[in-house]
Structure formats: structure tokens, C-alpha cells
Amino acid sequence: MLRIEGLSKLCGAERYLDDEPLEGPLKGCLWGMTVRSPVSRGRIRDIVYGAGFNWSEFVVVTPDDIPGPNETYLIENDQPVLAPGYVRHMHEPVALIAHADRDLLRRALASIRVQVDPEPPVLDFRVPPRPEQIQRGTDNVIKQLRICKGDVEKVFATAPIIVEGEYETGAQEHVYIENNAMAAWIEDGPAGDVVVVRGSMQCPYYVLNAVKHALKRDETRVRIMQSPTGGGFGGKEDYPSTIALHAALLALKAQKPVKIVYDRSEDMAATTKRHPSLVRHKTAVDRNGRLLAQKIEVILDGGAYVTLSPVVLSRGIIHAAGPYSCDHVLIEGRAMLTNSVPYGAFRGFGAPQTIFAVERHMDRIAQKLGISPLEVRRVNLLKDGQTTSTQQTICGGTDRHALLERALGETDYARLLAQAEEFNREHPYLRRGVGIATVLHGAGFTGNGEVYLNSKVDVAGLPDGRLEVLAASTEMGQGTNTVFTRLAADAADYATDDVLVGMPDTFRVPNSGPTVASRTVMVVGKLIERAISDLAAQLGGGGSPLRGKALKDAIIAWHRVNGGGSLKARATYTPPPNVKFDDKKYIGDAYATFAWGVCVAHVEVDLRTAAVRVLHFTSLQDIGKVINPTLARGQVQGGTVQAIGWALSEELKFKDGGMANNSLTNYIIPTSDDVPPIRVLFHENPYEHGGGGAKGVGELPMDGPAPAILNAVAHATGCDPLAIPLTPERLMPLLEATP
Amino acid sequence: MNSNAAHKPVCAESDAITIAFTLNGKSHTAKVAPGERLLDTLRYGLALTGTKEGCGEGECGACTVLLDGLPANSCLVPAFQVRGRDVRTIESIPAERLGPLLESGATQCGACTPGVVMTAAWIRDHRSELQSFTTRALMAGNLCRCTGYDGIIDGLERWIASESGGRS
């Protein structure tokens, strides 16, 4: 099945928020812009509006204009909508202005001076804060989590070999090509005026909750609608709540529609990014490389507010031990408050950081023991029946050892290795190497998260017999609408043309949960199938559930009898049987299932420039049943290239705590000429509790490339890189120090 | 007046510049501000919103149009400079010819896509003159964050194969 909205996107007809005509609700729309903090921390003394502007023509919003609590509703509500007299990071929103003339508004914005009495910021999460830097509790710790299995210290006391390592990953900017954009306006409703917000977002109900909370309104007086969304990758998970509130506050004050469209430099400077990490490993192994004990410390930079850091940390530590069996594991994680822009969701959500560390560490264990990187993995890869660090018994029938051997066979690994070594003997300044990574990714929300979400999907039978899927899950490029259509058509035995997927609108669709965590096809897809089977059973009147033409005829007949009525069936999430997690002790089934992968990277290093080029890359993935091969392959290829950027070139530079290279000129994401074709192989093992048999695919591709590439660089050059991005500037000194 | 015109850059009447140019094969006249970008003229002045803004500084290629037949970042072109020239936007490309790009998965979120298609159309129409370059090198001016480029490169190669010698 081809992407439903694909042609519309290809020919430029798809209308993103800033493409919408300024008519209907957007008639008379003003532009909105954000006044931001010029420093990382301090008390606001004054906001000075520049001379030469007639400020009475502008709409100006300050914290005093917020009807409810000045809080962005999320995990801890500690992030203000507009900084109330005190700023905690560079570029933090302080006030809002709006005007019809965008150029005039820009000049007016540039004239505004936010005067702040600075206080000492925390700009390095790795070092303990000084007393004057404490801003949360006694130690700036946002969240601390621990996984304990067995007794690592007892093993360390007698262990024959101990390998230690310290690994670092940098921040990463999402660079969705459509910048954040949001419009708000006021409509009349039966219970009073309604604040309507439409824009680019992943999670309409997150936005709804945030707008309800700060505007002190219930859901009958706030309506959130998604507009076609040009990429998200986690970057439009929580931050759109802030922009929606800003647009809504301006619209309420102006009593006119207001549109906020970030430009690239504002979007890069002000919005969330991937958490930087520092991970320390101490591992006891025997001479064959068997893991006897793993002690892992995970530290994340959380940025200036709590936002999603506790759950990013949670996913990070659960993935930190890798896809390996070990009886004694201690993982301690903490997310630190700093005065950086708040770090947030980004594809993989903490797992790529900790998997980078463990996969580099496995290669370094092999190196220390003089065995191959394959051997250390063959000895330790989880088998069904063995347990993870949270003591979750792995099952499902995927043979991870066979996955590894298949990846080695498909890439002709042994020959690649021999060729690289021969090439390196001959070539004066180029060095080639091969690296692997074996990875896992928990699909869906962590622990009891899916139970708390309690997701719902409606399927409506329309008067003409077609079906409409009503869910809050968003299409942002990953193919939600196409896959939902396929799953619904298969469940109902319908042609795909007879299935509609409604655009998320909180007045129309139930809360199917956020569009995150590789959960959409697996969890929400399954709810669609269940809702259809309920509808079919309901209309079948106790007989066998109706399908195909019989279902369609029954829907048409129902509407004839119940003219004007609404025919809907709703499915609500129920967890698969026997999935239990203790979220206090971090023991049990952290995820209903895991997806598995093997990456093989073949790289070339130029010793003269320290530039690394990926020559070939192969990704083998078990994502359950593949619903749409083109879309699934696209997820893996896109995720891999995003990870190549994170591994090699995407370096955030900071100046006084703010992003200094907030531009695509010097924040370097890969172009088509920087990356090789990404070879994608699937191992199909249907998962019975996933929509169409699928597990998650969105995030797994982000996990393996960075360690596979660095392992390949280590193989190519004999140096020992421990941090990404491995830019030439970072690699050069390592090469110089390598004999 | 189209409905997006309210968001077009404004200037004093006496500063406005009237330009005549060819737009998607038809003669066209527009009144533009001195500092106005061609991108804004297209999107807000003419409601041709198929051309997207990605970075506003000529790095990402989302705003690519063909200017006298060559790909150009319309965010870097002052509108008055297109006086007397030929401008082609994504709206000039018939959707029914884009099947090969759809089948290969060349579009995901779609925000870079119109720019990608414009560069691809130029490569397809000049393949013989560009033979010494790989399609990967030729597409390097269009950033895509979703596809990893394989869907784009495969689609472009299929498109060239399916319409070799053809021009839209």
C-alpha cells in the first residue's frame, strides 16, 4: 500500500500550518513572537520596550495575563509558561508580542531588552554543583533511579578480570524540516468561548492538558487540532504545549487569531534536544568474556526543568545493560538539573545513550581479553528464558544468536574484515574498519505506563458504510495514517479506500495516548483491530462478527434505521496477560515486548583529516510483523542516518549556556552525499499482542549505529574513542596518540 | 487578492518595485518590497505555498525553485531580482508523474519534499549533462531528516528511468 498522503506531499499540496489560507478562523490573523531570556540564570529586573515603536498597536502578554497557574502541565509542572520574574535558561520565554506586520514585529522584538541580575548557572552536569548553584533539593538531582539484580560487589571481590570505561554522548537537535508552528483563535461554544489551537504536534492530548491547566478551562472550552506535521522525532512531544499556550494567550488578549511560526534559529535555540549523557561501566568477566557482574552509572543532563527527564532516565537505565544475560547487575541513574535548555524526548528516549556505552564497552571487553567482538556477544546474548536487568524473562521466540549470525552472513563480515586489514596494510593514509552492535528496544511505554495511559480508540461506521478510525495518534511522516488504514481494512476485510483516518481533533477523537515510544502501530493499531471486531460483533447480533460487504451493508442498514445517529465502537487498552512491573523496585516486565537488532558498519578514516566516512551500513531488525515494507524500511534508513549524524557530525556548541550554532550552516546533519545506502533486513516474527503482529519500529534504528561506527573506527585505527559526536576535532588527538 | 496576502512583507507604496516575470510558464506581474525574499512573494504574495521554508539561509533546500532552469534557494533570492526571468515552482509539476517517488518512499513528513522534487526534476531533465556526478552528490543540497535519502535516490533513479529524455 502506498503512503496515503504521499502524492499530496510530493506535489506540494499538503498544507502545513503556515500554508493555511488566512480565511475562515484565520482571517485577520496576527503574528506572534516570543521575548526570551538573554542569560542562563537570574532575576528579571525589568523588561524595557524599545523607543520608536507605538506599543499600543502591539498585543503584549506577560505572566500576569495567564488565567490559571503559570505552569506547563507535564510530569512535575515546574516549567512556567512565561518566566515569572526569574529565568533558568538562555532563551527561556519571558513575554509575548503580536502584530499583523511580521517585519515590524521582528524589529520591535529586537528592540526589547530583558534586564536580568545574573546568578551563577550550572552549565556542566558532570561535576557536582557548588552551593550557590543549587536550585533543586540539596544536590540538583531531578530524579534518581536504581535497578538491582543479584550482588555485584560480591562478584567484584573475587572477579578474575574487571573492565571499566566512561562514555559520553552529546546533545542532539531534532531538525524536523517543518519548524514549530501553532495558531490559536477564539470561537463561540455552548458553554462560553472556546480556545481553539491548531498546529504541528505529536501529542494533541498533552497540548490539551497543558492549555486546560494554565487557562483554567475544561475540555469543552479548549479544542486542540493537529495540522499536517513536518517531522517530530520527539521534538514535538512536549514543546508544542508551550507554543500552544503562547498562541492561546496572545489570541485571548487580542481577541483575534494569532499564529506563531518559529524560524530555524529560534527553533534550534529554544526547543528541547536529546539529553547529553555520561555513562560509567565496571564489569566483571571471565576469560571467555562471560559477563559476571555489570555495574553501571548513568548521568543525564536534564536541563533547566524536569519536563520528561524522569522517564527518559527510566528508559535509559532499563536499556543500559544491553541485550545480554548477566546474573549480577547494578544500575544507578540520575538526571541532573542544569541551566541548559530543557532536554526532552528524542527518538530512542535515553536508550541510544546507554546502548552506545554498553556496546562500546562490549568491544573494549573483547579487546582486553583478546577475543573478537563477535565472541563476546555470542557468549552473552540473551536467550529466551533468561532474564534482563529488571529480571524480566525474555520470551517471544526470536533467536538473537541467529540474528547475529544472519547479519554476519548477509554482510560477508569475515571477508569485509580481511579486506579491511589488507587495505590498511597497503594504504598510506586511509584506514578501514568494521564494527557491530547488537541492540534491543522496549516497545511502548515503560513499566505500567501503558496501563496508566489507558488509551482509547473509536471506530465509527459511516452512513455510506465506510469506517472511520478516530484516534489521537498523529501522522508526522512515519506513516500512521497509511498503516492504520491497512490494519483497519484487514480487520474489517474492507478495501483501503473504504477506511478513513480522522485528523486528530480533541473534540472528535478519544485519547489514544501520545505518538511516541514506538507504540503507535503496536498498541494503538491493536486497539483499532479490537474496536472493529467489537463493531462487527455488535452488528452481527450475537452471530459471528460481520466482515467485508456484510459489515458494510449492516452499517448502512443501521444508519437507515437510526437516521442521524452515530455508530461507534470503542476499544480501551488492556495489558497482555502476565505482564507485571514493580515501578518502585524496578523489577519485572519493563516492556510487554522488545524489538531486537544487529548493525554492521564499515567505515573509512582519513588519517590526514581525521574524517570518518561510513562506506556501508547494514541494519537487521526484528520488529515483529512488517506491516508496510516501504514505510518500515524508511523508518530504519531515516533513523540510521539520524544516528550517523549523532555519531559523527552533529555537535551542539554552547555559549553562556545557549546553543551557539543554532543554524543549519554550522549544526551539521548528514546530506545524501555523506551517507551510504542503508541496507535494511527484517526478521519477521509476529507479536500476537501488536497491531497486525507488529512491534515498535520507530526508535530501534537509532540505537545501534553510533556504537557500531565507533567500534569500526577503533578497529580501523587502533584508537579508543569513547565519546560522540566523533568529529575530526575529537578524533585527531586520539589518532595522534595512537602508535 | 489572495487570502495569504495579509502576511506578505509590507513597505511604503513609494518603495515598492513592480516586476514582470514568467511564473510556471505564464507571464506575471508582482509588486514587491525592496528586501522581500522570492520565497515570501511566492508563499504569501501569490499563495503558492508548495514552496516551503526550512532554514531561511540557503542550507536545507526546502524552498528550492527553478530559476531560469537552475535550482535556486528562493529564501536567498531577493524578489526584485527575478524581473524578466523564468521561475518554476513545485506547482508546475504534475502530480501524476511523481509515481516513482511515491513508490520508493521518497516522502515521509513532506516538508523537504517539494524542494527535493524540484532538484530531482532538474537532474532528471539534465541527466546527460550531469553524468559525471552521482545522484547522491547532486541531491546533497536538499536536507531530509526522515528518509535517510535512500527513498529519494531510488525514486529519482526510477523517475529518470521511467521518463528518460522526457521533460515536464
Side-chain angles (χ1 to χ4, degrees):
Chain A
M1 183 182 171
L2 296 170
R3 175 181 289 277
I4 288 177
E5 79 292 358
L7 267 190
S8 162
K9 285 175 169 172
L10 281 160
C11 69
E14 189 82 343
R15 276 198 176 135
Y16 302 84
L17 186 84
D18 193 38
D19 302 334
E20 289 187 22
L22 300 175
E23 53 197 28
L26 291 183
K27 196 167 164 35
C29 185
L30 308 179
W31 291 102
M33 288 187 187
T34 312
V35 180
R36 298 183 180 280
S37 168
V39 301
S40 291
R41 184 187 174 199
R43 195 159 297 283
I44 299 172
R45 198 175 346 112
D46 200 4
I47 300 176
V48 181
Y49 296 85
F53 294 91
N54 180 1
W55 287 101
S56 66
E57 285 180 1
F58 291 78
V59 184
V60 178
V61 163
T62 65
D64 294 338
D65 295 304
I66 300 170
N70 183 3
E71 296 169 349
T72 310
Y73 184 86
L74 202 60
I75 292 174
E76 278 198 20
N77 303 350
D78 64 328
Q79 184 173 24
V81 179
L82 292 170
Y86 194 88
V87 288
R88 295 187 183 278
H89 68 88
M90 180 81 94
H91 305 305
E92 180 166 5
V94 167
L96 306 162
I97 59 174
H99 195 281
D101 179 345
R102 197 181 197 179
D103 286 332
L104 179 65
L105 187 65
R106 267 196 201 108
R107 291 197 299 276
L109 181 72
S111 83
I112 297 173
R113 293 284 166 267
V114 181
Q115 298 179 336
V116 185
D117 293 325
E119 293 179 18
V122 183
L123 299 177
D124 189 343
F125 72 104
R126 298 165 300 182
V127 297
R130 299 190 306 272
E132 67 274 22
Q133 292 175 314
I134 300 293
Q135 295 158 71
R136 182 180 166 93
T138 56
D139 52 10
N140 283 350
V141 173
I142 289 174
K143 181 80 180 179
Q144 202 149 12
L145 290 171
R146 187 167 188 268
I147 295 171
C148 184
K149 175 190 187 187
D151 183 348
V152 292
E153 294 306 334
K154 206 170 128 192
V155 180
F156 285 134
T158 57
I161 304 157
I162 289 176
V163 183
E164 295 187 72
E166 193 171 296
Y167 308 89
E168 287 187 61
T169 66
Q172 186 181 23
E173 162 57 32
H174 305 83
V175 197
Y176 28 73
I177 299 295
E178 184 213 15
N179 288 310
N180 273 291
M182 204 70 72
W185 62 89
I186 316 298
E187 277 178 7
D188 290 330
D193 64 349
V194 177
V195 172
V196 186
V197 181
R198 182 156 70 205
S200 189
M201 64 181 76
Q202 289 180 227
C203 311
Y205 274 83
Y206 280 10
V207 177
L208 177 69
N209 289 337
V211 176
K212 273 165 57 184
H213 182 74
L215 298 190
K216 250 169 100 177
R217 286 166 175 253
D218 68 24
E219 62 273 9
T220 64
R221 297 187 56 215
V222 177
R223 178 180 190 178
I224 309 299
M225 295 187 282
Q226 186 215 5
S227 56
T229 297
F233 314 113
K236 293 173 185 170
E237 176 167 347
D238 63 314
Y239 205 80
S241 299
T242 298
I243 310 170
L245 272 163
H246 291 172
L249 288 165
L250 283 167
L252 274 170
K253 184 129 182 197
Q255 288 294 309
K256 279 184 183 176
V258 174
K259 179 159 83 166
I260 296 178
V261 179
Y262 283 3
D263 66 17
R264 180 63 60 186
S265 62
E266 181 175 29
D267 200 304
M268 292 182 90
T271 69
T272 61
K273 330 212 166 296
R274 182 185 299 284
H275 290 70
S277 76
L278 169 65
V279 180
R280 296 193 179 98
H281 273 258
K282 179 178 176 186
T283 313
V285 288
D286 71 13
R287 305 237 160 252
N288 302 319
R290 182 172 299 282
L291 300 172
L292 304 177
Q294 294 172 285
K295 185 176 176 183
I296 306 167
E297 182 185 12
V298 177
I299 311 170
L300 298 181
D301 184 348
Y305 294 103
V306 171
T307 64
L308 294 164
S309 293
V311 270
V312 172
L313 179 69
S314 169
R315 185 175 281 272
I317 62 165
I318 291 170
H319 288 75
Y324 305 112
S325 164
C326 182
D327 291 337
H328 302 274
V329 184
L330 176 65
I331 305 170
E332 288 178 313
R334 58 185 189 276
M336 301 300 298
L337 186 124
T338 63
N339 297 98
S340 298
V341 65
Y343 293 101
F346 195 146
R347 196 178 210 161
F349 211 69
Q353 289 94 319
T354 57
I355 288 177
F356 167 74
V358 71
E359 284 304 288
R360 269 301 287 135
H361 193 64
M362 290 302 277
D363 263 44
R364 296 177 70 247
I365 291 172
Q367 165 99 17
K368 175 138 184 182
L369 296 175
I371 63 176
S372 87
L374 306 181
E375 208 44 45
V376 75
R377 289 176 173 82
R378 283 179 180 136
V379 169
N380 293 297
L381 272 176
L382 280 161
K383 295 188 179 115
D384 273 14
Q386 293 181 322
T387 63
T388 64
S389 60
T390 65
Q391 301 170 50
Q392 172 169 4
T393 304
I394 291 300
C395 56
T398 293
D399 181 343
R400 280 153 294 281
H401 292 258
L403 279 188
L404 174 60
E405 300 311 321
R406 181 177 163 205
L408 300 177
E410 296 264 12
T411 54
D412 211 348
Y413 178 88
R415 197 166 61 91
L416 270 186
L417 213 64
Q419 280 176 347
E421 277 155 20
E422 188 184 329
F423 178 89
N424 293 346
R425 275 194 298 275
E426 303 288 325
H427 205 283
Y429 55 82
L430 296 178
R431 294 290 176 269
R432 290 185 178 169
V434 190
I436 59 168
T438 43
V439 300
L440 77 171
H441 202 93
F445 261 38
T446 303
N448 301 312
E450 291 293 344
V451 175
Y452 299 143
L453 279 178
N454 197 26
S455 301
K456 294 167 186 66
V457 166
D458 288 344
V459 171
L462 304 179
D464 60 5
R466 287 183 301 168
L467 293 174
E468 183 176 20
V469 175
L470 297 167
S473 308
T474 51
E475 168 68 57
M476 52 184 148
Q478 83 286 40
T480 299
N481 289 353
T482 306
V483 173
F484 278 4
T485 302
R486 172 85 269 160
L487 292 177
D490 287 351
D493 193 19
Y494 263 44
T496 52
D497 286 347
D498 288 336
V499 176
L500 303 176
V501 179
M503 197 75 187
D505 169 349
T506 57
F507 271 17
R508 284 197 77 219
V509 303
N511 187 0
S512 60
T515 312
V516 304
S518 309
R519 64 185 293 279
T520 301
V521 180
M522 183 179 91
V523 176
V524 185
K526 190 72 178 177
L527 292 176
I528 293 171
E529 294 174 351
R530 278 187 31 215
I532 288 173
S533 105
D534 288 357
L535 185 73
Q538 201 179 307
L539 291 170
S544 60
L546 302 176
R547 286 170 61 77
K549 186 166 183 311
L551 176 59
K552 201 170 181 179
D553 290 345
I555 292 170
I556 294 169
W558 186 94
H559 280 283
R560 265 199 217 110
V561 175
N562 303 280
S566 154
L567 173 62
K568 274 187 200 169
R570 168 167 293 189
T572 303
Y573 180 78
T574 49
N578 304 322
V579 172
K580 289 200 171 47
F581 187 71
D582 180 335
D583 42 21
K584 299 269 181 316
K585 293 184 183 150
Y586 268 63
I587 293 175
D589 302 313
Y591 299 97
T593 187
F594 287 92
W596 309 96
V598 182
C599 293
V600 182
H602 183 205
V603 308
E604 185 173 272
V605 182
D606 188 326
L607 297 179
R608 301 166 304 176
T609 60
V612 178
R613 190 168 178 85
V614 181
L615 300 175
H616 301 98
F617 196 95
T618 301
S619 190
L620 167 61
Q621 316 239 327
D622 163 25
I623 55 165
K625 177 86 182 124
V626 176
I627 308 294
N628 182 313
T630 305
L631 296 184
R633 193 169 59 239
Q635 282 297 297
V636 179
Q637 291 168 329
T640 300
V641 168
Q642 210 163 46
I644 291 174
W646 184 50
L648 294 177
S649 64
E650 295 182 29
E651 177 158 47
L652 258 105
K653 301 272 191 192
F654 293 93
K655 185 164 181 275
D656 303 328
M659 184 176 183
N661 55 338
N662 54 329
S663 130
L664 291 177
T665 302
N666 47 13
Y667 180 81
I668 308 297
I669 69 168
T671 71
S672 53
D673 206 26
D674 296 325
V675 291
I678 307 303
R679 187 169 171 224
V680 180
L681 304 166
F682 289 114
H683 171 78
E684 288 197 84
N685 175 18
Y687 169 58
E688 62 173 316
H689 304 293
K695 301 192 277 198
V697 62
E699 298 173 289
L700 179 66
M702 190 80 213
D703 292 331
I709 288 166
L710 264 74
N711 287 340
V713 170
H715 174 238
T717 62
C719 77
D720 187 21
L722 304 175
I724 55 171
L726 189 61
T727 55
E729 290 85 346
R730 195 169 262 146
L731 180 56
M732 183 76 85
L734 300 180
L735 291 175
E736 283 169 349
T738 305
Chain B
M1 182 164 148
N2 82 76
S3 76
N4 284 23
H7 280 176
K8 185 180 168 339
V10 291
C11 68
E13 186 63 30
S14 56
D15 290 340
I17 305 164
T18 301
I19 53 167
F21 62 106
T22 306
L23 178 61
N24 295 334
K26 291 190 185 130
S27 322
H28 208 90
T29 311
K31 221 177 217 187
V32 300
E36 183 172 326
R37 308 178 299 175
L38 176 59
L39 174 63
D40 292 329
T41 312
L42 294 171
R43 288 180 53 76
Y44 301 124
L46 302 166
L48 295 176
T49 54
T51 304
K52 309 298 181 195
E53 174 164 353
C55 69
E57 55 180 7
E59 285 293 333
C60 76
C63 65
T64 303
V65 298
L66 299 185
L67 192 54
D68 293 337
L70 290 172
N73 291 311
S74 63
C75 72
L76 294 185
V77 177
F80 71 83
Q81 285 189 351
V82 305
R83 170 183 281 164
R85 299 173 74 180
D86 183 74
V87 178
R88 279 182 113 68
T89 68
I90 186 68
E91 284 82 3
S92 70
I93 308 272
E96 59 272 17
R97 302 182 74 167
L98 299 171
L101 292 153
L102 178 62
E103 288 156 21
S104 68
T107 184
Q108 288 190 23
C109 87
C112 77
T113 304
V116 164
V117 171
M118 293 313 287
T119 305
W122 170 71
I123 297 169
R124 184 206 60 186
D125 289 348
H126 300 85
R127 196 68 196 106
S128 55
E129 298 143 69
L130 297 170
Q131 256 171 10
S132 55
F133 301 95
T134 63
T135 45
R136 277 191 180 265
L138 292 167
M139 284 306 310
N142 290 84
L143 296 177
C144 169
R145 194 59 156 168
C146 294
T147 63
Y149 302 106
D150 289 305
I152 292 171
I153 302 298
D154 295 351
L156 171 54
E157 282 166 3
R158 287 191 215 190
W159 199 21
I160 291 168
S162 73
E163 292 194 17
S164 48
R167 276 166 191 265
S168 62

